[in-house]
Amino acid sequence: MSKLITLLAKNRRPTQPRAFEMSGEDTTIYIYDAIVADDDTAEWWGGVSAQTLVPQIRNIKGGTVNLRINSPGGDVFAAQAIVAAIRDTGAKVVAHIDGVAASAATVIASAADEVVMSDGAMYMIHCAWTVAIGNSEDLTATAALLDKTDGVIAGQYAKRSGKAVDDMKALMSAETWFTAEEAVEIGLADRIAENAPRAQASWDLSAYANAPKPSASAGADPQIAAITNEHRERQQQRLRMLNRINPQ
């Protein structure tokens, strides 16, 4: 079973989440679920549908857009469609990572003018997934498409962080989970919010290889639990090496 389908199935919600609200010149967009391409998928699996959200975004003309993100990820092409619509608004865009920004959700966050993370939030980047069937030529073509997709995403992370594309690809290949402090250190986020509320929804992140394990003190928010000591040390060594190779 595809890891993407597993992610959607394990995080299916019975109703579609609130996604959009306006107040004066400010618009708030909630990416508080998995990201999916169309309304049919959202109806079946749950999730924030780009088919519905993108036309709403394209009606925004200037002002400030606040992206509130607590998402386990989803369809990267749907995320790219949301990114394109957000950029076309001409608005100032601030991404607030309230809980988890994983996978495709980080693609949306990376398009913001400013990325603000709540204390205890997490940010995860990895290589693209897909489902493929066919002969060797079909599968080779699919692999090439995945490589191109990873290159595009790595370029977006590199543009935001100031790091080299190859360095971002290496972190993607390792499925790297960043704490708020680590995301700021590497340049994927700009600052940690003070006294920001934490998102209460928890996600099943078992589709991911390196998802942090809930700790005894995680309470109602296992998705923002501390990384295990062993994982944290491996990640910090990788980040220290990256900063030595390509300092900001």
Side-chain angles (χ1 to χ4, degrees), residues 24-111:
E25 294 186 355
D26 290 351
T27 304
T28 301
I29 300 171
Y30 292 88
I31 311 294
Y32 259 46
D33 208 330
I35 300 157
V36 298
D38 53 59
D39 295 343
D40 288 342
T41 304
E43 183 176 355
W44 184 257
W45 295 107
V48 175
S49 166
Q51 182 180 6
T52 292
L53 188 57
V54 166
Q56 293 178 310
I57 295 172
R58 291 197 177 279
N59 287 326
I60 301 171
K61 306 299 178 185
T64 299
V65 171
N66 291 291
L67 296 170
R68 310 293 316 200
I69 298 174
N70 180 34
S71 171
D75 188 317
V76 68
F77 295 117
Q80 296 289 11
I82 293 170
V83 165
I86 290 171
R87 285 175 174 162
D88 288 347
T89 65
K92 177 183 177 181
V93 181
V94 182
H96 306 265
I97 299 176
D98 296 330
V100 168
S103 186
T106 64
V107 172
I108 296 174
S110 69

Side-chain angles (χ1 to χ4, degrees), residues 66 68 92 94-97 113-121 123 160 179-185 187-196:
N66 291 291
R68 310 293 316 200
K92 177 183 177 181
V94 182
H96 306 265
I97 299 176
D113 298 303
E114 183 180 15
V115 178
V116 183
M117 293 186 66
S118 296
D119 184 24
Y123 189 112
R160 162 152 288 282
T179 63
E181 292 82 1
E182 290 164 345
V184 170
E185 178 185 355
L188 291 169
D190 297 293
R191 61 184 176 89
I192 299 172
E194 296 181 3
N195 302 318

Side-chain angles (χ1 to χ4, degrees), residues 122 177-188 192 227 232 235-236 239:
M122 301 203 74
W177 293 77
F178 300 92
T179 63
E181 292 82 1
E182 290 164 345
V184 170
E185 178 185 355
I186 200 171
L188 291 169
I192 299 172
I227 300 175
R232 179 181 292 277
Q235 180 163 288
Q236 288 179 341
L239 293 175

Side-chain angles (χ1 to χ4, degrees), residues 117-192:
M117 293 186 66
S118 296
D119 184 24
M122 301 203 74
Y123 189 112
M124 186 276 280
I125 63 176
H126 72 143
C127 292
W129 295 339
T130 193
V131 179
I133 189 169
N135 59 31
S136 61
E137 291 184 357
D138 297 326
L139 298 181
T140 299
T142 299
L145 176 60
L146 285 174
D147 285 340
K148 288 182 180 181
T149 302
D150 289 340
V152 169
I153 297 170
Q156 291 171 312
Y157 295 147
K159 182 177 180 181
R160 162 152 288 282
S161 67
K163 304 298 183 184
V165 171
D166 286 346
D167 290 334
M168 301 315 298
K169 283 184 178 179
L171 292 170
M172 291 165 62
S173 294
E175 188 195 294
T176 303
W177 293 77
F178 300 92
T179 63
E181 292 82 1
E182 290 164 345
V184 170
E185 178 185 355
I186 200 171
L188 291 169
D190 297 293
R191 61 184 176 89
I192 299 172

